[in-house]
Amino acid sequence: MNSKPFPAGLRRSFPSLLVLCLLGFVGGAPRLAGAILVEIKDGKGQPVADAVASLTPLDRTPVIKVPDEPAVIVQDNEEFSPVVTVVVVGGKVLIPNRDKVQHHVYSLSPAKRFDIPLYKGEMKEPVVFDRPGVVALGCNIHDWMAAYVVVLATPHFAKSAAAGNAQIGDLPPGRYRLEVWHQRITAPVVREVTVNSDPSTQVISVTLRELRQIRRAPETGGGAYR
Amino acid sequence: MKLLPQSFGAKLLALFMSAVGLTQFATWAFIREFNDTQARELINDELDRTTRNFARVTADRNSLLAAAAATAARDYAVKSLFAGEDDATLATALKSIRISSTAGLVTALSLEGKVRASTLAAAMSDAAYADLVRRAQASPEASARGYGLFGGELYSLVLAPVHAPDIIAWIAVGFRIDDAFARRLKEQTGIDLTFFDPAGRPVATTLAPAVVRDLAAMLPALHEEASSEEAGLAGTTALVRIRRLAAGGDRGGTLALQYSLEEKLAPAAIAQSRQLLVAVGGMIAAILLSLAFARGVTQPIVELVGHTRRITRGDYSIRNRSYRTDELGRLSEAFDQMSLGLSERDRVRDLLDKNVSPEVAAQLLRDGATLGGEEREVTILFADLRGFTTLSEHLPPRELLTLLNRYLDRMSAEIEHHGGVIDKFIGDAIMALFGAPVPQGDAARRAVSAALAMERALVGLNAELAAEGRPPLAIGVGVNTARVVAGNIGSQRRLNYSVIGDGVNVASRLQSLTRTPEYRTNVIVSAATLRAAQTPFPARPLGTVAVKGRAEPVEIFAIGS
Ligand SMILES: [Cu+2]
């Protein structure tokens, strides 16, 4: 199912690839832009939300333009929101505290280690994510708080909606490495795809494990004996 | 005969003994079997409880350790160490965790399951945790329990995740399963237990070394699936249960629980020995009772046997005088009646002997008294006291009777001595038979000899009478041999054995002929008698005489002097 369009597309891509190369060589951006709709489903065929699909060009070095405006992950009601944030390498993220209590945000992920000791309100400086990778954010006070910043070395990405669909548009034709990540994915899905002017759809099936984070305890009295 | 009462007692004893013994033994065996089954069931129940208790205690302790470790690992600095690469510092952090959590062992592992640091040098082995990591990875709680054998020490382990906030590493905490832990378990359940490492070496136990050695030797032969198996351990029998310490694959070793069967059966054994005591008491009581009863039965029987012997000897004087009302009492009564009957009969027999001759009495007793008779040759002897009438005039009746009896007694004695039978006394006369009722071949000779002997006996008697100053006696004897009818003569109520016929009259006539002075003899016999006697007696022919009612004259002879 996944592989069927792949070899066909590959075969078809050789002449166009040549044309593209020539075009590129002649000078001038490709006028035709493609789009890929990635449909992400779990093992039971249910749509998977908050998955990140990214396309990394294989034929060229992607041009990354860091947005001026930082992304924002708010801390509200002792939870991060949104849970998944995608930025390009060098991307900035603000993590303001909207709660009355303090938080102590930290990351021990190799891609970005930092911690912001107990604070309230706005941050003075955004956190800059300068290396690609998945950065897991936690709070040292509230163990159940978790958020992810997916730092990508490509501008072509999308986060799946509730219906499991992630639309990546404005794609110059060419070969790409399609990667899909999810916070509960057992192993990242990597696939090579070819983009041409026609929109195409990639259906990705992912295997998710159970959520193994520390759960927020219900607001009751003492903990029951287990 | 003497064995009979003894054997009756023995039989009764055997009966009582077997009845009481069998009942007691059956009860004993039943209770024993019941106790044994009960004890085994109870032991198995307790082994179940201990097995569950062990699992519970281990799980609880692991949970507490895991919770303590998790608390320690949520410290930001510790988390940072787990996230970083400074293994040396991490190792020192583990020491702190071990102390604060009271764990026996703390090990830090990477997310991939590589050991980074441990509080125990022997526990620095990736392989020892591989199974735990794999199971923790697969479990929703991201934790797993198991066992580890490090340097000969068995540890119960729990692997817990280190969150940041995703799982970034693993922390393994454990406690050592040692003698102290084994003793703690025993305090809770009272059951002895031993832990063996996978190689079968004991690592922790509550047992004495000798028992552990036996148990270790037996371990390979025991089955894990059995609820329990009987095993002889250091001289005692125990029920042993084997359980593989499952969580941990082949690394877990074995838990062996044992409960002494003797210990469990001890109260039952006391009860059993008491029951045995009661059984023995019952047996003794049964013996005494049966002996007493047997004696009660055999004693009268022995007495009766003694009485029977005395009756056989002719002593009828014994009376049983039993006051029993049972069958034996009735037997005694019947016996007494029989004894009375026998003595009555004997007296009758005695009287018979005196009234009739013993031969007649014997024949009467043998054939019964019947009328009728038979014709046979009999020699008849008549003896008469001569001059008795004159004598009776001179003597008082009493003295006369004494003298007559004295005379008759002597004469009778001679007749009987020669095989004759006194037929009857007729006043001072005697009628005697030879050859009847018992046939005799030489009856005639006997009769003649008897007549001569009577003559001689009278001489003796006369000498005595002379000495007493009394006048002498004289007799006349007649003997004849003839065919006569012999039989019981008389009425239905009274019978006499006697003979009738012509020959009897002839004998009487010959006796009276002795009074004839010309004959000069006391004994006259007929020719028929002389012929039948076949013996040459000194006989003097006296010619022939006519007998009243008889056609032919009779030829007679004088015998003797
Ligand atoms: Cu917080």
Side-chain angles (χ1 to χ4, degrees), chain B residues 141-186:
Chain B
E141 300 84 23
S143 72
R145 298 203 297 113
Y147 297 89
L149 185 72
F150 305 118
E153 296 175 347
L154 185 65
Y155 285 86
S156 171
L157 296 175
V158 57
L159 190 74
V162 178
H163 288 277
D166 276 357
I167 296 167
I168 59 163
W170 303 102
I171 182 167
V173 286
F175 64 91
R176 189 179 158 196
I177 292 179
D178 54 5
D179 286 353
F181 177 67
R183 279 196 298 274
R184 279 292 297 278
L185 283 177
K186 194 192 171 182

Side-chain angles (χ1 to χ4, degrees), chain B residues 274-334:
Chain B
R274 287 201 184 135
Q275 199 226 331
L276 212 61
L277 212 67
V278 170
V280 169
M283 293 283 268
I284 290 168
I287 291 169
L288 293 177
L289 270 172
S290 62
L291 282 179
F293 184 73
R295 210 177 145 72
V297 171
T298 53
Q299 193 64 27
I301 291 174
V302 169
E303 270 174 32
L304 278 178
V305 168
H307 293 176
T308 311
R309 290 217 193 88
R310 290 176 70 169
I311 283 167
T312 311
R313 288 196 300 268
D315 180 357
Y316 303 107
S317 64
I318 292 156
R319 291 294 171 267
N320 286 300
R321 276 184 208 89
S322 172
Y323 303 109
R324 300 176 72 118
T325 52
D326 58 5
E327 290 85 344
L328 281 167
R330 291 209 290 280
L331 177 63
S332 282
E333 225 174 87

Side-chain angles (χ1 to χ4, degrees), chain B residues 209-360:
Chain B
V211 183
V212 177
R213 262 200 306 280
D214 285 0
L215 189 58
M218 193 166 283
L219 197 61
L222 296 171
H223 302 89
E224 204 197 339
E225 57 278 12
S227 64
S228 64
E229 287 169 282
E230 212 172 294
L233 299 174
T236 65
T237 306
L239 288 186
V240 179
R241 169 177 295 189
I242 294 300
R243 289 293 178 264
R244 208 66 57 192
L245 298 180
D250 56 350
R251 299 183 165 274
T254 305
L255 166 64
L257 307 170
Q258 57 273 308
Y259 200 113
S260 165
L261 198 59
E262 272 101 337
E263 203 180 304
K264 197 76 192 171
L265 280 171
I270 292 169
Q272 286 262 280
S273 65
R274 287 201 184 135
Q275 199 226 331
L276 212 61
L277 212 67
V278 170
V280 169
M283 293 283 268
I284 290 168
I287 291 169
L288 293 177
L289 270 172
S290 62
L291 282 179
F293 184 73
R295 210 177 145 72
V297 171
T298 53
Q299 193 64 27
I301 291 174
V302 169
E303 270 174 32
L304 278 178
V305 168
H307 293 176
T308 311
R309 290 217 193 88
R310 290 176 70 169
I311 283 167
T312 311
R313 288 196 300 268
D315 180 357
Y316 303 107
S317 64
I318 292 156
R319 291 294 171 267
N320 286 300
R321 276 184 208 89
S322 172
Y323 303 109
R324 300 176 72 118
T325 52
D326 58 5
E327 290 85 344
L328 281 167
R330 291 209 290 280
L331 177 63
S332 282
E333 225 174 87
F335 190 89
D336 281 354
Q337 275 165 11
M338 180 194 80
S339 167
L340 206 67
L342 279 174
S343 78
E344 200 75 20
R345 219 179 96 177
D346 242 37
R347 235 183 10 250
V348 167
R349 168 91 193 251
D350 205 39
L351 280 171
L352 203 65
D353 274 349
K354 282 182 179 128
N355 285 294
V356 301
S357 73
E359 286 80 2
V360 172

